[in-house]
Amino acid sequence: MSIRVLVYSDDVNVRQQVIVALGRRPDPALPEFEYVEVATEPVAIQNLDSGKIDLAILDGDAVPAGGLGIAKQAKDELTTCPPIVVLIERSADAWLATWSRAEAVASVPIDPLDLVSTVTSLLQVTA
C-alpha cells in the first residue's frame, strides 16, 4: 500500500522540488509515497474526483488556474476530497488558504523540512 500524492503546478520545476523534498518515504510511520504529477486544472480536478488521491499539494501561483482556486472548487464540489496543502510565496496569502479550505500551507521557495513536517503531520491526523 502506498500514499498517492497529487502534485499540481504548471511549472515542472515546482513539481520536482516537492517530490525531491518529500522523497519516497518522508516518515517511517507512513507508507511509501506514489506521486501523480499534473500541470492543468481539469486533470487535477479529475484526479481529485477519482477517489484515488490521499493528499494533494497545489501550487498557489500556478497559471492559468492557481492552487487556491482549485482547492476551493474541490472542497466545495467534491463529495470526498483529500487533504490539501497549498504552496504560497507570500505569507500574507495564508488567509486565502483559509478561504480555499485547504488544510495546510507550505512556503515557496520550498523548505524541505517544513514541507515534510506539514505533510506528515497532516497525514498522521487523517490516517
Side-chain angles (χ1 to χ4, degrees):
M1 178 180 154
S2 61
I3 293 176
R4 294 194 61 172
V5 179
L6 179 122
V7 181
Y8 165 76
S9 178
D10 65 316
D11 184 341
V12 67
N13 293 320
V14 171
R15 295 194 308 266
Q16 285 303 305
Q17 288 172 26
V18 168
I19 292 167
V20 168
L22 292 174
R24 298 297 291 157
R25 192 170 193 176
D27 187 304
L30 296 171
E32 283 192 7
F33 283 16
E34 176 185 340
Y35 295 99
V36 178
E37 289 185 68
V38 298
T40 65
E41 175 188 20
V43 177
I45 294 295
Q46 179 183 19
N47 274 278
L48 290 169
D49 193 28
S50 73
K52 297 178 181 176
I53 299 297
D54 300 302
L55 173 75
I57 301 174
L58 310 177
D59 181 357
D61 288 328
V63 290
L68 293 159
I70 292 174
K72 176 77 168 139
Q73 180 181 350
K75 293 295 183 176
D76 287 351
E77 296 178 4
L78 302 180
T79 306
T80 54
C81 185
I84 295 176
V85 177
V86 177
L87 303 174
I88 59 172
E89 285 191 35
R90 297 161 300 279
S91 59
D93 288 343
W95 73 271
L96 286 169
T98 302
W99 164 83
S100 74
R101 298 174 47 208
E103 282 78 3
V105 297
S107 62
V108 175
I110 292 169
D111 175 343
L113 295 177
D114 178 53
L115 185 60
V116 166
S117 175
T118 299
V119 165
T120 56
S121 65
L122 190 58
L123 287 172
Q124 289 169 349
V125 167
T126 59

